[in-house]
Amino acid sequence: MEKQNRTIGTIILQIALALLFIVSGIWILQGSRGDEIAKAIYSIFDGDIAKVICIIFGVIEIVAGVFLVIRLFVFLNTGLDTVLMIIIMICWIVAIVMIDFIGKNGLFNSFDKDFLAYLSRLASHLLVLGAIVKVKN
């Protein structure tokens, strides 16, 4: 275990994020649009550029997920996992803006009239962002 005091809630968030990142990264590398960040990338870029960015991000997600799992058992004194989490956090914020505010069914672009579904989607995106911020420290 790391030498810092962690609560059960933080450990559960770390496990959940690790699984989310690993699975999303694998899905992206398999050619699907994986997670919300991949959807945001495809909404900004087209063709091969989007595929290359998604592959790079898929690898980053897998590596970040593996680091989160390793950090459950071993104290790591490297900044690489923190850098990866910051990259993912920034990408997740961009994805929230792209999907929930600017995107096809976003708040500012042909809002889909189902406000409760919109709030549910926004809440799930914010939950992941909050978990990233909490686990990053």
Side-chain angles (χ1 to χ4, degrees):
M1 281 284 189
E2 283 186 1
K3 294 184 179 182
Q4 50 184 297
N5 293 329
R6 295 184 301 172
T7 63
I8 293 293
T10 304
I11 293 169
I12 291 170
L13 281 175
Q14 190 167 338
I15 293 168
L17 272 179
L19 292 174
L20 176 73
F21 291 160
I22 291 169
V23 170
S24 295
I26 291 170
W27 278 343
I28 289 173
L29 293 179
Q30 288 179 338
S32 77
R33 294 195 175 183
D35 62 0
E36 304 301 334
I37 297 172
K39 291 176 188 173
I41 290 169
Y42 277 102
S43 73
I44 298 171
F45 301 102
D46 289 328
D48 290 338
I49 294 172
K51 288 179 185 177
V52 169
I53 294 171
C54 280
I55 288 171
I56 292 168
F57 191 76
V59 170
I60 289 172
E61 276 191 316
I62 291 172
V63 172
V66 169
F67 266 101
L68 286 173
V69 171
I70 292 171
R71 281 181 37 197
L72 286 170
F73 305 104
V74 178
F75 177 70
L76 295 175
N77 197 14
T78 67
L80 181 60
D81 58 337
T82 303
V83 170
L84 293 172
M85 293 300 288
I86 290 172
I87 290 170
I88 290 174
M89 181 175 56
I90 291 168
C91 291
W92 199 265
I93 291 169
V94 170
I96 288 172
V97 171
M98 292 301 301
I99 293 168
D100 295 323
F101 295 101
I102 300 172
K104 187 171 97 176
N105 289 324
L107 188 60
F108 302 124
N109 188 12
S110 69
F111 185 63
D112 67 358
K113 308 292 186 241
D114 191 354
F115 191 65
L116 292 178
Y118 168 77
L119 286 179
S120 176
R121 184 178 68 228
L122 177 63
S124 67
H125 294 162
L126 292 175
L127 281 169
V128 173
L129 180 62
I132 293 169
V133 170
K134 177 70 176 166
V135 170
K136 181 182 72 65
N137 301 329

